[in-house]
Amino acid sequence: MSGTFPSSPAFSSLEVTSIQPTFVSRTISGRRQARQIAGQYFGMRASFPPMSRAEFAPIDAFVMKQRGMYETFQLILPVLSTGLGSPAGTPLVKDASQTGRSVTTDGWTNDTQIFKAGDFVKFANHDKVYKITADVSSHASAGTATLQIEPALITSPIDNSAITHTNVPFLVSLTSGVQEFATNASGLFSYELDFAEVL
């Protein structure tokens, strides 16, 4: 891994795509069959506002350091890095050998709405970022909660492993070996980048 993408200057716009390859076929009778053929991952397209050379140079240097699509790095998404819930406490995964689309957790502050549907979460032994698919509150007296997530767990989180719910870092790489920028007589630089989550 090769560092964390610079947070300044901030993106002027960001597109986030969920990519979930699925093979769908339909028989002559009209019966539909669907099969997931690969794991889900997120893609991002970021655009920057016009930048001075001093603002652009560190970003350009960081991108060059990635050697095209070779290296991986962390990307914290502006605006989306903090969820809509109010997580508090010291949350941990509760129990090992978990599979599927739910994760039992504990260590939350009691009786708190910790996540809203659409928030992101990450587990300590995972490169994958998951999306919360249903609002969830912690138990009124025990501080436990079961998180509904998408996609299904790639591997079971380790018992008592930490849960990242704020400034969730995506492990990504560039999607092309060719990067280009534009400038003109004004001395301002325009730039756009595409990223893909690495699993």
Side-chain angles (χ1 to χ4, degrees):
M1 190 178 73
S2 183
T4 300
F5 194 85
S7 59
S8 180
F11 305 144
S12 59
S13 67
L14 176 68
E15 299 173 25
V16 180
T17 306
S18 174
I19 301 157
Q20 201 155 22
T22 305
F23 178 76
V24 178
S25 62
R26 194 174 292 275
T27 65
I28 294 173
S29 66
R31 184 177 176 191
R32 177 183 178 272
Q33 293 182 330
R35 181 170 48 112
Q36 300 278 207
I37 56 175
Q40 183 272 353
Y41 65 96
F42 291 102
M44 303 91 173
R45 171 169 288 172
S47 298
F48 290 86
M51 296 176 284
S52 68
R53 184 175 180 187
E55 291 171 323
F56 172 66
I59 294 171
D60 184 43
F62 182 88
V63 169
M64 287 295 294
K65 190 170 73 171
Q66 305 314 310
R67 297 189 281 166
M69 298 182 289
Y70 182 75
E71 294 284 359
T72 61
F73 54 95
Q74 291 188 330
L75 176 67
I76 297 174
L77 305 182
V79 181
L80 300 173
S81 64
T82 300
L84 297 172
S86 300
T90 308
L92 300 171
V93 172
K94 185 177 186 294
D95 301 325
S97 302
Q98 299 193 49
T99 59
R101 291 176 165 80
S102 64
V103 180
T104 58
T105 64
D106 59 10
W108 302 100
T109 299
N110 293 348
D111 198 22
T112 303
Q113 184 166 61
I114 53 178
F115 287 113
K116 298 283 285 180
D119 290 347
F120 291 108
V121 66
K122 191 171 189 178
F123 307 107
N125 68 323
H126 284 230
D127 289 330
K128 181 78 186 88
V129 171
Y130 299 90
K131 184 170 280 192
I132 300 293
T133 58
D135 294 356
V136 60
S137 296
S138 56
H139 188 275
S141 60
T144 58
T146 298
L147 311 182
Q148 303 300 319
I149 60 168
E150 190 63 43
L153 288 165
I154 292 176
T155 186
S156 175
I158 297 171
D159 185 28
N160 287 327
S161 59
I163 300 168
T164 302
H165 51 73
T166 304
N167 292 329
V168 177
F170 286 75
L171 183 67
V172 300
S173 68
L174 298 171
T175 62
S176 173
V178 178
Q179 304 299 326
E180 60 183 44
F181 61 86
T183 188
N184 54 36
S186 70
L188 296 177
F189 290 74
S190 59
Y191 203 42
E192 186 174 272
L193 286 171
D194 290 310
F195 312 97
E197 187 181 22
V198 175
L199 306 183

